[in-house]
Amino acid sequence: MNGHAAHSPALSPAFRVLGPLEVDGPDGTQIDVGGGKPATVLALLLLHRNAWVSTDQLIDAVWSGRDVPASAQNNLKTYVWQLRRTLPDDRIESRSGAYRVRVLSGELDADAASALGDEARALLARGSAAEAVTVVQRALDLWRGCPYDGLADDAASAVDRLTELHRTLREDLADAHLALGRPSEAIAVLRVLTDEEPLRELAWARLMAAYRLVGRRHDALSAYQRARTALVRDLGIEPGAELTALHLEIINEDPRRPIAAPVSSNLPPRVTGFVGRESELEALRGATGVVTIDGMPGIGKTAFALEAAALSGHETQQYVDLRAGQAVTPTAGLLILDNVEHADQARRLLPNDPTALVLVISRRRLSGLDRSGAITLEVLAPSEAAQLLDSTQVVGKARATSGWSGEAQAGRRPGSAQATEVAQVGDAARILAAAQGHPGAIRHLVERVRNRQPWTVARMTAQLADQAGRCHALAGLLVRFDAEYQALAMQPTQQLYRRCSTAEQFDLAQAARFAGMRVDDAEAMVDQLMDLNLVAESAPGLFELLPIARDHAYRLLQATEGRRTIAELVA
């Protein structure tokens, strides 16, 4: 996603100390300064560039924490001789008891980073935020690790100063993104910064402001609480005036403040009546990188991704259905890749932008992607399933268009309203039991009984208690599992899948009997079924077909195996 930017010989300094010591020659190629003690000598000279450093100070740095040998002075001369032979232009000078290295303006990456930071802040002050982003990013690209890596106490002050510069540059980058109306990019930067530096109040204030811009009021208030907890715990003080004032503003503003609409989006409409998935959505707040989303057919992967997109605040949002063969150009912002069959399909479309969020949707568990997160969607909790059913407004609701218009219509007896309501509650319970928390099954069964007369609904839902009747009712949904079944290339694996539908749970020995294979071979097949989100390991060594997948497997079993075989398996 964010590959390391290569140094350009025309722009890169000759000496790099923002990480392990590196030196460039006049042609831009890296010079090997030998590492070890010679590198320590050069690093200390660069720390005090253009100033004299005593031999005693150099010896203390080279043998830091160790006994200094009697030959230290001679050894130091050898290290300096090696450096003089390696470095061009006679950079190291000497006088009695001291050495210094000549460094021209802009040749040290630490100086270049500081100058770029000053330039970026001047650009921000003039309102040139886009140019400021470019300049700050050039400065940040100079960092490769801890400054003056390898020096001990000698560099402590310089390391603190450069570490503070690195923090300030990231705050400047966030300010530039906010000025450009890119709050999601600012959030990505500031979340990392506040995690690293929880006592940095200005960073918390910027993060709260960015959350506020995209309508994430809850996250803004949560950020304040995390900041306050850290300040009280570590310093014994309350947040300062700026942070406190911003907190009060957010508390007192209208909570219905809309999320900023994306500037550019081709996303399909969000699914009406979406419920649940709060913890998964929370995990994606402010996320960057590649996140895979997998689950069985109909579990709501695309609907979930669209909800996440709506909460992301990315100003550019792109949706690509790989099954439809859409042409796509990798883009920054948010990218949804749907119906991904294997990692290579997604890898070639990833944008080279560390602030981008790519949601990769697949029915199977993908491997081989450099990803920042992985989400497997499971069935809804009972309360969420009931909420989804209720949101359809099909059962348990007044039927304004059902044909009833009074107690006597169509022979309806007085007092039968209560009986009808009770029957509808029973219909809802049967739908929920048959769907087992699977969102696609709930919606499919609701559509099947929509606009039916109450007695017709009761008759249709009564069939759901029997597995054969349930398979018939879910036929339109079950065909979506056929692709996963066909992906089980080996016939014994398909047989295992079908026959597992007769067992509530099964172990590997039982799976081997179902497949007519050895236990080791059956275990590999069970793993394949798990990768396709058809089977779960409900307890150590115990497996079960997931809801709806079991009905699909049983339907196939009925079509391919004789009744006698099925009876033997059930027995």
Side-chain angles (χ1 to χ4, degrees):
M1 285 282 298
N2 60 352
H4 177 63
H7 289 282
S8 167
L11 297 176
S12 63
F15 302 100
R16 294 198 286 275
V17 295
L18 298 178
L21 177 63
E22 292 180 357
V23 181
D24 283 344
D27 61 353
T29 59
Q30 190 168 329
I31 297 174
D32 183 6
V33 295
K37 292 181 174 62
T40 301
V41 171
L42 180 56
L44 188 60
L45 291 174
L46 289 170
L47 177 65
H48 302 283
R49 52 202 173 278
N50 300 317
W52 294 103
V53 182
S54 70
T55 55
D56 289 341
Q57 189 175 355
L58 288 165
I59 288 171
D60 287 342
V62 170
W63 283 275
S64 176
R66 290 169 292 175
D67 293 336
V68 178
S71 60
Q73 289 282 355
N74 289 332
N75 291 346
L76 179 60
K77 290 178 181 179
T78 300
Y79 304 147
V80 171
W81 174 79
Q82 291 174 353
L83 291 170
R84 280 173 167 164
R85 188 180 63 174
T86 302
L87 297 176
D89 303 328
D90 296 325
R91 289 302 185 105
I92 298 182
E93 301 172 342
S94 62
R95 73 179 186 186
S96 179
Y99 296 94
R100 72 177 177 186
V101 62
R102 287 187 299 106
V103 177
L104 304 179
S105 176
E107 286 188 331
L108 187 72
D109 60 352
D111 293 340
S114 180
L116 288 169
D118 292 341
E119 181 184 350
R121 281 184 286 281
L123 287 168
L124 279 172
R126 294 200 301 267
S128 302
E131 294 177 61
V133 168
T134 301
V135 172
V136 171
Q137 199 60 62
R138 280 175 54 197
L140 291 173
D141 284 344
L142 296 174
W143 260 265
R144 297 168 294 107
C146 179
Y148 292 101
D149 189 24
L151 286 183
D153 297 338
D154 301 86
S157 177
V159 169
D160 288 344
R161 177 179 57 81
L162 291 169
T163 301
E164 176 63 22
L165 173 62
H166 192 245
R167 298 187 190 110
T168 302
L169 284 168
R170 287 185 287 172
E171 288 178 343
D172 292 340
L173 181 61
D175 285 345
H177 282 314
L178 288 173
L180 291 169
R182 302 172 182 168
S184 58
E185 284 85 345
I187 288 169
V189 174
L190 293 167
R191 282 191 59 176
V192 175
L193 186 56
T194 51
D195 284 345
E196 293 175 358
E197 300 290 334
L199 303 180
R200 202 169 179 86
E201 289 193 53
L202 289 180
W204 284 112
R206 287 173 168 90
L207 179 59
M208 291 170 63
Y211 278 138
R212 186 187 192 187
L213 281 175
V214 294
R216 291 163 62 173
R217 183 170 179 264
H218 170 78
D219 284 327
L221 296 175
S222 177
Y224 173 82
Q225 292 302 327
R226 295 199 305 276
R228 182 181 182 276
T229 297
L231 290 166
V232 171
R233 180 192 63 219
D234 296 342
L235 300 180
I237 62 173
E238 291 288 336
E242 181 178 350
L243 205 57
T244 301
L246 180 58
H247 178 238
L248 291 175
E249 283 181 22
I250 296 173
I251 285 179
N252 294 325
E253 71 185 3
D254 186 353
R256 296 168 297 179
R257 187 171 178 262
I259 297 173
V263 174
S264 173
S265 173
N266 72 335
L267 268 58
R270 293 159 65 187
V271 174
T272 303
F274 182 89
V275 301
R277 313 297 192 200
E278 284 88 356
S279 61
E280 292 89 346
L281 287 170
E282 181 63 29
L284 286 178
R285 288 185 183 273
T288 59
V290 177
V291 178
T292 57
I293 302 170
D294 61 69
M296 72 178 89
I299 202 68
K301 300 179 291 296
T302 304
F304 169 77
L306 294 174
E307 287 298 308
L311 297 172
S312 72
H314 280 284
E315 60 182 7
T316 300
Q317 300 182 359
Q318 185 176 12
Y319 173 84
V320 180
D321 185 351
L322 295 186
R323 187 177 296 169
Q326 287 179 254
V328 58
T329 301
T331 182
L334 180 136
L335 174 62
I336 298 177
L337 300 177
D338 206 351
N339 292 309
V340 177
E341 294 295 326
H342 51 79
D344 287 342
Q345 286 180 299
R347 191 180 296 109
R348 60 185 173 81
L349 299 175
L350 300 181
N352 185 23
D353 181 354
T355 68
L357 173 62
V358 183
L359 303 180
V360 179
I361 303 173
S362 178
R363 292 182 177 182
R364 62 191 67 196
R365 297 178 182 178
L366 298 175
S367 59
L369 280 175
D370 182 12
R371 57 191 176 185
S372 58
I375 295 174
T376 297
L377 296 183
E378 300 177 350
V379 295
L380 298 174
S383 60
E384 294 170 339
Q387 185 183 351
L388 175 58
L389 182 65
D390 186 61
S391 72
T392 63
Q393 299 185 346
V394 171
V395 291
K397 304 288 184 180
R399 293 178 176 271
T401 59
S402 65
W404 296 104
S405 59
E407 291 292 335
Q409 185 171 350
R412 185 180 183 186
R413 297 188 306 276
S416 64
Q418 183 177 2
T420 300
E421 183 178 347
V422 171
Q424 290 180 347
V425 171
D427 297 335
R430 294 187 189 100
I431 289 175
L432 289 174
Q436 301 176 75
H438 188 287
I442 294 174
R443 293 181 183 277
H444 179 82
L445 292 174
V446 163
E447 284 300 319
R448 190 167 182 266
V449 300
R450 188 182 295 277
N451 298 327
R452 306 274 186 173
Q453 295 290 356
W455 53 83
T456 305
V457 173
R459 175 177 58 78
M460 296 174 73
T461 57
Q463 299 171 354
L464 299 177
D466 174 69
Q467 189 170 24
R470 188 165 64 248
C471 288
H472 172 73
L474 291 169
L477 172 66
L478 298 183
V479 295
R480 298 175 60 181
F481 285 76
D482 287 347
E484 274 56 50
Y485 180 70
Q486 296 302 325
L488 304 173
M490 294 179 60
Q491 192 277 335
T493 311
Q494 294 181 337
Q495 177 175 288
L496 169 62
Y497 172 64
R498 296 193 305 266
R499 293 186 171 187
C500 286
S501 65
T502 62
E504 291 283 344
Q505 289 183 321
F506 58 92
D507 57 21
L508 292 177
Q510 191 172 3
R513 290 196 298 273
F514 284 154
M517 307 283 285
R518 295 185 303 112
V519 171
D520 289 347
D521 295 329
E523 183 175 11
M525 295 177 185
V526 171
D527 286 340
Q528 184 183 5
L529 292 172
M530 292 178 67
D531 288 340
L532 289 171
N533 285 301
L534 298 173
V535 164
E537 189 168 6
S538 51
L542 283 179
F543 305 89
E544 63 182 2
L545 284 174
L546 289 169
I548 309 305
R550 187 179 179 193
D551 289 323
H552 177 253
Y554 184 76
R555 186 164 178 255
L556 293 170
L557 185 69
Q558 287 182 307
T560 57
E561 314 253 2
R563 290 187 178 181
R564 178 177 176 181
T565 302
I566 296 176
E568 291 172 351
L569 290 169
V570 173

